[in-house]
Every structure is written in structure tokens, then in C-alpha cells.
Amino acid sequence: MEQGSYLLIEPGMAVHGSDGSHLGSVSELVADTGADIFRGIVVQHGLLIHKHGYISAENLVSVVGNDITTSISKEQFDQLPAQPAPAAVTSDNLT
């Protein structure tokens, strides 16, 4: 992703895997906006029971319109932690 393009990311945007699958929607942007450091996004998924998965900035490929494409598959996403490692958390909650 281009530098600064993370500023286009908003809660509710659709997140898609590299295999074309729908992974969920953005629930939180993880960034240190004061230092302009983007760490990743927390994706909410699941219909009745909401779960979360953290996708690091390095795994985001593009932001086009209301869609975000990642470099990970649905299978890989299902194995991700719900939040970034505690040492890396500086979060601006946008919900």
C-alpha cells in the first residue's frame, strides 16, 4: 500500500483475502497517528458471534473504494490473533 493510504481506511469497510474470500469488515485501525505509523487493522467477522482478527499493515495490498484487499487467504486469516502483540499496540479506535 502507498504511504498515507491507511488514512482512507474506515470502520465498516469490507476486507477481502488473496483468494477473493470476504474476511469481514474493519472494526478498528491500529496506528500511531501522531508519528504517522500504521500498524494494521482489526477485522470483525462472524454473523451471530462476532470474532476479531488482526491483520498487520504488511499484509494489506490495496484500498479501493470501500474494499480492502489483503495478501492472506481465508484459511490464514482464521489462524490470526484477535489483536496485535501488546508491545505493538498504539490504537486509535475509530468505532
Side-chain angles (χ1 to χ4, degrees):
M1 267 185 12
E2 294 180 31
Q3 185 174 357
S5 61
Y6 77 90
L7 298 172
L8 300 173
I9 298 173
E10 297 180 7
M13 292 179 79
V15 181
H16 305 280
S18 59
D19 55 1
S21 62
H22 178 75
L23 302 180
S25 60
V26 175
S27 66
E28 188 176 343
L29 176 71
V30 182
D32 180 346
T33 54
D36 196 30
I37 298 172
F38 175 55
R39 303 210 188 276
I41 58 175
V42 177
V43 178
Q44 179 177 304
H45 59 105
L47 295 175
L48 298 176
I49 299 174
H50 295 290
K51 299 179 182 178
H52 295 87
Y54 171 72
I55 301 178
S56 67
E58 295 81 25
N59 290 314
L60 301 181
V61 175
S62 67
V63 178
V64 178
N66 199 35
D67 295 305
I68 299 171
T69 303
T70 70
S71 63
I72 61 173
S73 68
K74 171 79 169 131
E75 183 178 332
Q76 292 168 315
F77 174 73
D78 289 340
Q79 298 174 12
L80 293 176
Q83 297 287 331
V89 176
T90 304
S91 179
D92 292 339
N93 191 339
L94 299 177
T95 57

